[in-house]
Amino acid sequence: MSRHLADLLAREPAGFGIGQVPAARVPSATTRLVCGFCSTGCGLDVHLKDGRAVGLTPSASHVVNRGSACPKGWEALTPLAAPDRATTPLLRNARGKLVPVGWSEALEVFTTRFKASQAAHGAESAAFLSTGQIPTEEMALLGALAKFGMGMRHGDGNTRQCMASAVVAYKEAFGFDAPPYTYGDFEQSDVIVLVGSNLCVAHPIMWERITRNPNDPEIVVIDPRRTETAEAATLHLAPRPKSDLSLLYGVARNLIERGAVDRDFVHDHTSGFREFAEFVGAFTPERVSADTGLAAGQVDRLAALIADGTAVSFWWTMGVNQSHQGVRTAQALIDLALMTGNIGRPGTGANSITGQCNAMGSRLFSNTTSLLGGHDFADEGHRGKVAGILGIDATLIPDGPSLAYDRIIEGISTGQIRSLWVVATNGAHSWINHSDMKELLGRLDFLVVQDMYGTTETAQLADLVLPAAGWGEKDGTFINSERRLGLVQRVSPAPGQALADFFIFKAVADAWGCGHLFERWSDPEAVFEILQELSAGQPCDITGVGGYEHVATGAVQWPYATGAAGAEPTGRVPAERRLFADGRFFTPDQRARFLFEAPVAPGERPGGAYPLALLTGRGSASQWHTETRTSKSATLRALAPEGLWVDIHPADAAARHLAAGDEVVVQTRRGAVRARAQVTTGVGEGNVYLPMHHPQVNALTFPAFDPLSRQPSYKHCAAQVRAAEASDP
Ligand code: SF4
């Protein structure tokens, strides 16, 4: 056992997990945590008895949620008490069973087998897959340990599955991954355009912010489905799946013809408009109607609303990002905001809504695609700066980015990747076209899964499971969709031998023999100070933040630089701030770029034996991703539909002699799943819809990827639906 781990275990109060709450921050009777599910970042007041959580209520005074929470937030503590928590390390024995072992043995096996695989196949044959669900400090330590201490070059996050297209879109257009908005913009717009976003269900508290808008805004929803959000919109456009890029270019052409271009803004603050205007000239009403299935009048109405609006905001989420042209579609929305001058002012913006609670922390500090602090691995100066701050040799830092998630999976199939460390993600359920995942992961020399539960589909395939503390059992910070920092704290004991991920990484570093590189990384708050140093001079500069106590106020959005106007933690800084009010962007010439590309058809189109388009997405507000946590709550289970339902249009149901409630099989070229038919006009004729939470759904999806972001295109493939037969599995 390492000295560090022995010390931690020795000072462990009975049942209260490693990572003792520092005495200065022992929670009082009520303490505030930012929610650990989605990226909204709601404040939750956790109520304590004898220092332990006994319940929670949404924070009435928190700037984000103002006393509201969705069902997941209300039930945030319940998954901690689930009976299938991993309470000891689990090691697969000679008979193929996962059996409990102590931490000393687990760490010895971890280091011995990873090192043996690296010795045989090269240090870069080891990789990690991480998450947007753990605090920034933990992500940063994992990324630094794996790449600077263990010799890995490749490690990615599950944020690749939800946000990568927005990241690339922003980097190329604005010069940095910088969502420009603040939630106050929901309340200050007079035209709100939501694209591929079912906000009512996926981000209910953001939707609530829209309901507080006093301007009686026009709400436009662009979505092939008539979602709950579309039902509440003043205008719903339902284009053919994956034709939204053509639609947005047609809207741009229409705006130019109307003379609705903010010429001064375009001239002073952008580049590339002339080429963009020439390009969209080809998107005539006839062409756009043919591509999208929308009437020319519908496109004209949307353009008129944008042209007449005084504060127009454009919002998007997974319907855009999870696309074979997600980057360009996001950039088309950025183009619309730029050409109409709808950015940097209250109620405006080209605004990507993030998915996971700490996706933004991952984007900036996980050391995966970006070097710590939004730096560039390929930039020698950046490597030198980071090495200097960390006190390490710059040659330890890889000189290029990691393989993306899909390339890591592909690398397993080719033998390039031979050992894998999976942290708080469940790819055997969530990865696109995962039907061969079990076989692929079985090829690895060594698979480690670090998770709250040993029962996830991925953990069940592991050679070694490391038991991790969950939200509420450890300390750290998250960054939400609007760039706001939030604090999570330990208010509940981790079960058994489960440890905060942070202290697992520390123990691994000691066992590996590189603990000396991380002596300064003593606890999460010490790491937060390191992250502040790493952010210095970057667009995400947080050097002016006054530590965890300041973060806990909920009043910190990046940038928050030392010495910046109003940057002292005095309460005088506005609680909501947006970027680009001065019209200066993060590109070298400080101009935002118009970016565009010809639309191309999806890789797999309906036809022949598979005549329907299968769409996937969120099922209900009480479900979260692979349901690793939400399935543990009886309340959340009761709020979600029981079993798997497929939405099918009445005409498609009639053609197959199907009635509502019939048991059917949804089949694609890759697999099939049983479901019950929900006959509804909520999907268009020719489309069917499955919620993503069932473990078999992603055995069906088609593995297409955006070529720029490598984000999977979950939301479109060819399918057939038929009545189920007794012989169907
Ligand atoms: Fe948590 Fe998101 Fe629900 Fe807010 S909206 S309570 S952050 S899951």
Side-chain angles (χ1 to χ4, degrees):
M1 180 181 296
S2 75
R3 181 192 54 75
H4 188 76
L5 180 61
D7 288 350
L8 287 166
L9 287 168
R11 66 180 169 86
E12 178 73 356
F16 210 73
I18 285 174
Q20 182 77 316
V21 180
R25 289 190 300 104
V26 171
S28 54
T30 295
T31 193
R32 180 174 296 173
L33 280 68
V34 71
C35 179
F37 283 102
C38 92
S39 67
T40 306
C42 296
L44 302 173
D45 289 338
V46 176
H47 309 297
L48 307 156
K49 187 174 181 196
D50 300 328
R52 296 183 180 198
V54 291
L56 64 81
T57 46
S59 308
S61 60
H62 197 273
V63 65
V64 165
N65 53 314
R66 304 175 188 171
S68 296
C70 82
K72 298 186 292 297
W74 280 102
E75 281 293 288
L77 292 168
T78 305
L80 302 180
D84 62 339
R85 288 292 302 272
T87 56
T88 68
L90 300 167
L91 180 63
R92 197 169 296 282
N93 66 14
R95 286 183 299 180
K97 291 235 174 309
L98 284 170
V99 296
V101 295
W103 271 107
S104 294
E105 184 176 351
L107 291 169
E108 188 180 331
V109 170
F110 181 102
T111 52
T112 303
R113 291 192 58 182
F114 260 119
K115 286 186 176 186
S117 183
Q118 286 180 303
H121 306 290
E124 294 180 7
S125 68
F128 69 90
L129 290 173
S130 182
T131 179
Q133 295 288 154
I134 61 176
T136 311
E137 295 80 352
E138 294 185 339
M139 294 173 175
L141 178 53
L142 170 61
L145 164 63
K147 293 198 172 183
F148 310 155
M150 296 170 66
M152 293 188 198
R153 186 182 184 96
H154 305 303
D156 201 5
N158 61 10
T159 43
R160 179 77 61 179
Q161 294 164 274
C162 50
M163 299 316 308
S165 295
V167 171
V168 177
Y170 279 141
K171 280 184 175 175
E172 289 186 349
F174 295 163
F176 197 77
D177 177 17
Y181 63 97
T182 187
Y183 293 158
D185 292 319
F186 282 124
E187 299 172 9
Q188 297 174 68
S189 298
D190 56 9
V191 179
I192 295 169
V193 181
L194 295 160
V195 186
S197 164
N198 187 7
L199 208 64
C200 289
V201 164
H203 299 91
I205 303 305
M206 293 192 204
W207 176 255
E208 198 168 271
R209 297 292 295 263
I210 290 180
T211 67
R212 297 181 187 191
N213 185 318
N215 303 320
D216 190 20
E218 296 284 352
I219 302 172
V220 181
V221 169
I222 299 173
D223 196 314
R225 294 172 63 218
R226 199 178 71 239
T227 61
E228 293 83 347
T229 313
E231 293 272 9
T234 52
L235 176 64
H236 173 212
L237 299 185
R240 283 196 192 97
K242 298 303 159 205
S243 68
D244 38 7
L245 190 52
S246 186
L247 169 62
L248 299 174
Y249 290 152
V251 171
R253 180 185 193 274
N254 188 308
L255 288 166
I256 292 168
E257 287 196 336
R258 285 172 181 274
V261 176
D262 184 335
R263 296 279 172 190
D264 289 342
F265 184 86
V266 167
H267 177 270
D268 293 345
H269 301 298
T270 72
S271 62
F273 178 71
R274 189 170 56 78
E275 294 83 353
F276 177 67
E278 277 175 24
F279 170 78
V280 299
F283 291 82
T284 61
E286 296 74 24
R287 173 175 175 181
V288 173
S289 286
D291 287 352
T292 64
L294 297 171
Q298 291 176 287
V299 181
D300 194 56
R301 169 100 194 276
L302 171 56
L305 287 175
I306 295 169
D308 294 344
T310 57
V312 184
S313 55
F314 301 87
W315 308 82
W316 78 88
T317 182
M318 303 317 158
V320 168
N321 290 339
Q322 291 175 339
S323 169
H324 67 291
Q325 285 188 292
V327 172
R328 294 301 185 221
T329 310
Q331 288 171 341
L333 287 160
I334 292 171
D335 295 335
L336 291 177
L338 294 175
M339 69 187 287
T340 55
N342 277 299
I343 199 153
R345 293 185 290 111
T348 67
N351 305 329
S352 158
I353 299 169
T354 316
Q356 302 179 73
C357 52
N358 199 23
M360 180 50 79
S362 171
R363 286 153 68 166
L364 297 177
F365 291 107
S366 68
N367 214 29
T368 52
T369 50
S370 294
L371 178 58
L372 295 164
H375 291 93
D376 185 351
F377 280 104
D379 186 315
E380 190 178 357
H382 283 189
R383 295 198 301 275
K385 173 187 169 186
V386 169
I389 290 169
L390 300 185
I392 63 172
D393 190 326
T395 60
L396 291 174
I397 301 178
D399 60 2
S402 163
L403 290 175
Y405 195 136
D406 68 304
R407 301 295 197 205
I408 290 174
I409 299 297
E410 197 177 286
I412 298 172
S413 71
T414 62
Q416 180 186 1
I417 300 299
R418 305 298 291 253
S419 51
L420 187 66
W421 186 6
V422 176
V423 178
T425 191
N426 188 13
H429 179 145
S430 65
W431 188 243
I432 196 163
N433 181 32
H434 68 45
S435 47
D436 58 355
M437 188 69 106
K438 184 172 180 182
E439 187 272 325
L440 268 183
L441 295 180
R443 292 190 200 179
L444 290 164
D445 293 344
F446 190 43
L447 172 63
V448 178
V449 175
Q450 182 168 317
D451 203 288
M452 292 171 67
Y453 307 98
T455 51
T456 70
E457 287 81 0
T458 313
Q460 285 296 297
L461 302 173
D463 297 302
L464 176 67
V465 176
L466 302 179
W471 173 93
E473 296 170 343
K474 56 186 179 178
D475 299 340
T477 57
F478 291 164
I479 308 176
N480 78 355
S481 270
E482 54 166 354
R483 313 178 322 281
R484 184 179 306 282
L485 277 65
L487 189 65
V488 291
Q489 300 185 72
R490 219 155 69 90
V491 293
S492 186
Q497 291 283 305
L499 305 179
D501 292 282
F502 186 89
F503 290 100
I504 297 176
F505 301 143
K506 288 287 288 183
V508 166
D510 285 346
W512 194 272
C514 61
H516 60 282
L517 295 178
F518 304 101
E519 279 173 7
R520 250 190 93 195
W521 305 55
S522 56
D523 61 39
E525 194 157 11
V527 173
F528 185 76
E529 290 173 12
I530 296 171
L531 301 183
Q532 289 184 279
E533 285 182 47
L534 289 164
S535 76
Q538 290 289 90
C540 59
D541 192 323
I542 51 172
T543 51
V545 179
Y548 274 8
E549 283 185 23
H550 190 192
V551 172
T553 65
V556 177
Q557 283 175 291
W558 68 258
Y560 212 112
T562 300
E568 297 306 316
T570 60
R572 287 183 290 113
V573 176
E576 303 219 19
R577 293 179 297 135
R578 68 188 56 76
L579 300 177
F580 311 134
D582 58 1
R584 287 189 293 177
F585 295 84
F586 300 122
T587 51
D589 63 3
Q590 299 193 329
R591 290 172 175 271
R593 302 182 185 119
F594 281 89
L595 296 157
F596 51 89
E597 191 172 325
V600 296
E604 186 181 70
R605 279 172 279 178
Y610 300 95
L612 302 170
L614 171 60
L615 320 177
T616 66
R618 185 73 64 88
S620 70
S622 61
Q623 291 168 289
W624 183 247
H625 293 180
T626 65
E627 293 206 276
T628 302
R629 284 180 291 162
T630 50
S631 66
K632 308 298 193 290
S633 159
T635 302
L636 295 179
R637 288 198 305 274
L639 289 170
E642 197 176 335
L644 183 64
W645 291 78
V646 58
D647 289 2
I648 184 167
H649 189 273
D652 293 319
R656 290 161 178 76
H657 308 293
L658 300 174
D662 280 358
E663 199 158 334
V664 300
V665 170
V666 183
Q667 186 142 14
T668 71
R669 290 184 176 88
R670 293 154 294 282
V673 65
R674 272 180 183 259
R676 290 201 177 274
Q678 178 150 280
V679 180
T680 171
T681 55
V683 288
E685 191 172 347
N687 300 336
V688 290
Y689 178 81
L690 279 174
M692 63 182 171
H693 312 291
H694 188 285
Q696 269 305 102
V697 167
N698 277 313
L700 276 59
T701 44
F702 177 71
F705 301 87
D706 181 290
L708 302 171
S709 69
R710 304 308 306 168
Q711 178 158 352
S713 176
Y714 281 101
K715 296 191 178 295
H716 188 273
C717 68
Q720 177 59 296
V721 174
R722 60 172 172 79
E725 297 168 5
S727 58
D728 285 317

